[in-house]
Structures are given as C-alpha cells and as structure tokens.
C-alpha cells in the first residue's frame, strides 16, 4: 500500500491515522513532539510542520498528505501561514494529494444554511487566514501544480474536541454546576463529530472527484446549545443543566486578560444567531452518513467511544 502522511496529532489527525492504518496503509504521523496512537501500522515522527525540506523528505512517495495541524487559537495569524505554505509546497514537490482540515470561518456571517458554494467573505483575521489558505491551494490546483481538497466542519463533538461547548458547557453540566455561555442558547447550531471529519478527509483524499473543491463534513441536523446540554445531561445521568447566556460585554472584558477569550470576539456571530451547515453534497458523493448525536455526546463526555459502536 502507498504511504500516507498526516501532519498533526490532534483528534482529527489521530482519527485519520487509525482509519488508514486499520485498512492496511503505511501511515506516517508527523507532529512536533512525535506523539500519536500506538498502532503497529503507524510510524510517529517528531518534526516541525513548517520545515519544508524535512517534511518533503518525510512525504516523498506518499499518495496523500493530510493537513490536520492545529496551531494555538490565538496564534493563527502568526503560525498558520508558514505551515500552510510548507504543506502546499510539499504537495507540489512530491505529487501527494493535499487534504486539509478546514472550518467555516472563511465564510463569515451567512444568512441561511451554509453550502460549499457560499463565497468566502471573512469578517476577521482568523477567517482571512483560513480563506487565504484555501485560495492559495486552489490556485495551485487550477494551475496544475498540485491536487488539493479541503474538508470543513462546524464546532466539534467527540474525544479531545476543544470548542465553546466542550470547554464551557460539558464540564459544568457533568458536575451539576451552572454554565455561562457567550451564545443565544436557543439558536439552531450545527455540530460535527471529529470521527466524521476523519472519515470525510480520507474519502476526499482517495476520490479524484473531490479534488479542486471544498466539502462539508456530514453533520446531524442543527441543535441549540440548550437542547444539546439537556441531552448530554440525560445521557450522563447528570442533573438538568443550568445555563445562562453570557452578555457580549462580559466576553469583551474577558478578552482584555485572556487571549482565547479575545479571539472568540471575532466568531461570536456563530453562536449569537442561527449557524447551520449544509453537508448534503458530501453524503451524496461519498455515501457518508453522520454519526448519531447520542454516540458523539457519549464520547464527548468520556463515556462509550462513538467509533467503537
């Protein structure tokens, strides 16, 4: 089997590595510290994702190069450009398909369900960074220098996911404590299971129909923060959630002292209004159905892993 190279050992990178290794592929998982799942089919390598020569050496002969890197949230503007440029250059040099884990930031605020055909109109720095990453990759693809695709999901659920819901709501609900959330608690919101991100990345890298365009990860119908927290409590046997909507001014003040809170200001619109992902194209093309919400929530809460069901 051909070599498959994954950059980033976070939840998505680990998921991609396991999927590929379990089907018998040669897998090389590259991260700064050389971490990752212990699996006989996974070679773990420590390297800097922005080191062009080293990454090109590690990717030589690979069928696909998966960008599952995840710089610190408040350092996207500094850390993403050199990493993205390096991975694209490596894909051009080696011929490996570049499959990137994306998100919805590049669209900016959108009225109605977000489809892959929505224009990229970012409203802040992080969105601009993600939009340029895709525009550069697409330009290389259209010029015949590389084969690329990007897979975009909404806020993650699942083991290791770090989102507003998993960080601010889940621990409080499981502990029976009150949670304050910078959100409209009743606005419909799409959630994406990390295992489905991995499945879609692998499918997109394998299928030439996927190259040259983005895809949205198959995700369940939207559910509000309040409804999601209530279902989490039911599944975990925890008390009914006590939630409060954090006023925008409180988030703004928190950003004066906390860099992550400061960065959340840019994407506050995603939780203050309906935020709905249309993922029908990927389901129709690849036959991927989204993982059930209950299974994803159980894994998020540290109960039964959804991937083992």
């Amino acid at each position: 089997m051909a070599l498959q190279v994954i950059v980033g050992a976070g939840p998505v990178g680990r998921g991609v590595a396991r999927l590929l290794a379990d089907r018998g592929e040669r897998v090389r998982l590259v991260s700064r510290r050389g971490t990752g799942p212990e699996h006989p089919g996974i070679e773990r390598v420590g390297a800097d994702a922005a080191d062009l020569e080293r990454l090109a050496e590690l990717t030589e002969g690979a069928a696909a190069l998966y960008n599952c890197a995840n710089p610190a949230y408040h350092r996207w503007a500094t850390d993403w450009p050199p990493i993205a440029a390096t991975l694209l250059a490596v894909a051009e040099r080696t011929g490996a398909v570049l499959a990137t884990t994306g998100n919805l930031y590049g669209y900016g605020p959108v009225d109605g369900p977000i489809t892959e055909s929505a224009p990229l109109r970012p409203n802040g720095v992080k969105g601009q960074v993600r939009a340029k990453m895709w525009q550069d990759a697409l330009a290389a693809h259209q010029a015949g220098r590389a084969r690329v695709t990007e897979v975009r999901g909404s806020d993650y659920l699942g083991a290791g996911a770090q989102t507003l819901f998993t960080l601010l709501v889940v621990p409080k609900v499981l502990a029976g404590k009150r949670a304050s959330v910078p959100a409209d608690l009743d606005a419909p919101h799409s959630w994406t299971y990390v295992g489905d991100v991995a499945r879609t990345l692998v499918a997109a890298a394998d299928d030439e129909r996927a190259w040259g365009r983005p895809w949205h990860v198959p995700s369940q119908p939207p559910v509000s923060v309040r409804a999601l927290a209530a279902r989490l409590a039911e599944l975990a046997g925890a008390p009914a959630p006590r939630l409060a909507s954090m006023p925008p001014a409180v988030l703004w003040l928190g950003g004066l002292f906390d860099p992550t809170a400061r960065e959340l200001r840019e994407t506050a619109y995603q939780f203050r209004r309906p935020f709905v992902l249309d993922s029908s194209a990927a389901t129709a093309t690849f036959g991927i159905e989204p993982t059930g919400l209950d299974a994803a929530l159980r894994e998020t809460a540290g109960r039964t892993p959804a991937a083992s069901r």
Side-chain angles (χ1 to χ4, degrees):
M1 302 296 285
L3 174 66
Q4 310 277 345
V5 177
I6 303 154
V7 175
V12 175
R14 294 195 301 268
V16 170
R18 290 191 191 96
L19 283 174
L20 293 171
D22 285 345
R23 77 180 194 186
E25 304 279 4
R26 291 175 53 214
V27 178
R28 181 171 290 154
L29 180 57
V30 181
S31 66
R32 185 175 293 276
R33 295 186 298 275
T35 57
E38 293 187 5
H39 189 292
I42 299 175
E43 175 191 4
R44 295 172 294 179
V45 178
D48 183 350
D51 185 335
L52 175 57
E53 297 304 321
R54 177 59 173 150
L55 193 58
E57 175 189 352
L58 292 169
T59 309
E60 189 61 41
L65 173 63
Y66 293 88
N67 179 0
C68 302
N70 187 27
Y73 196 58
H74 65 285
R75 291 188 55 85
W76 279 20
T78 302
D79 294 355
W80 256 132
I83 293 174
T86 295
L87 267 67
L88 181 56
V90 168
E92 293 184 25
R93 182 183 298 190
T94 64
V97 175
L98 176 60
T100 298
T101 310
N103 59 30
L104 308 180
Y105 288 19
Y107 296 117
V110 176
D111 292 326
I114 306 169
T115 68
E116 293 93 336
S117 62
L120 296 178
R121 294 174 178 167
N123 69 325
V125 173
K126 291 189 295 301
Q128 291 167 1
V129 167
R130 294 301 317 206
K132 189 174 189 306
M133 285 172 59
W134 173 242
Q135 289 162 346
D136 289 347
L138 182 59
H141 180 92
Q142 293 173 337
R145 302 196 312 270
R147 297 170 297 166
V148 309
T149 186
E150 182 168 290
V151 167
R152 301 168 181 166
S154 190
D155 293 271
Y156 289 173
L157 296 174
Q162 295 191 4
T163 64
L164 183 148
F165 184 80
T166 64
L167 295 175
L168 298 184
V169 179
V170 172
K172 297 291 188 180
V173 170
L174 296 181
K177 297 181 179 179
R178 182 174 179 273
S180 182
V181 193
D184 176 343
L185 300 176
D186 298 302
H189 193 94
S190 291
W191 310 92
T192 300
Y193 171 54
V194 291
D196 293 337
V197 181
R199 294 165 63 205
T200 309
L201 271 171
V202 171
D206 283 347
D207 192 335
E208 63 182 71
R209 295 176 299 171
W211 305 341
R213 59 157 289 178
W215 299 88
H216 290 168
V217 179
S219 303
Q220 290 287 337
V223 177
S224 70
V225 170
R226 192 188 306 278
L228 194 68
R231 185 57 182 156
L232 171 69
E234 290 175 4
L235 293 171
R242 291 180 291 147
L243 305 179
S245 179
M246 181 188 299
V250 175
L251 179 63
W252 191 91
L253 288 172
L256 297 177
F257 309 99
D258 183 281
T260 299
R262 183 163 56 248
E263 295 301 315
L264 287 173
R265 298 171 184 168
E266 177 185 321
T267 55
Y269 68 89
Q270 296 180 7
F271 282 92
R272 295 290 182 186
R273 51 185 285 175
F275 192 69
V276 178
L277 178 69
D278 182 331
S279 57
S280 56
T283 293
T285 302
F286 308 123
I288 298 174
E289 295 290 341
T291 295
L293 196 59
D294 282 3
L297 281 172
R298 288 190 181 98
E299 184 176 310
T300 304
R303 299 331 197 238
T304 306
S308 70
R309 70 192 189 290

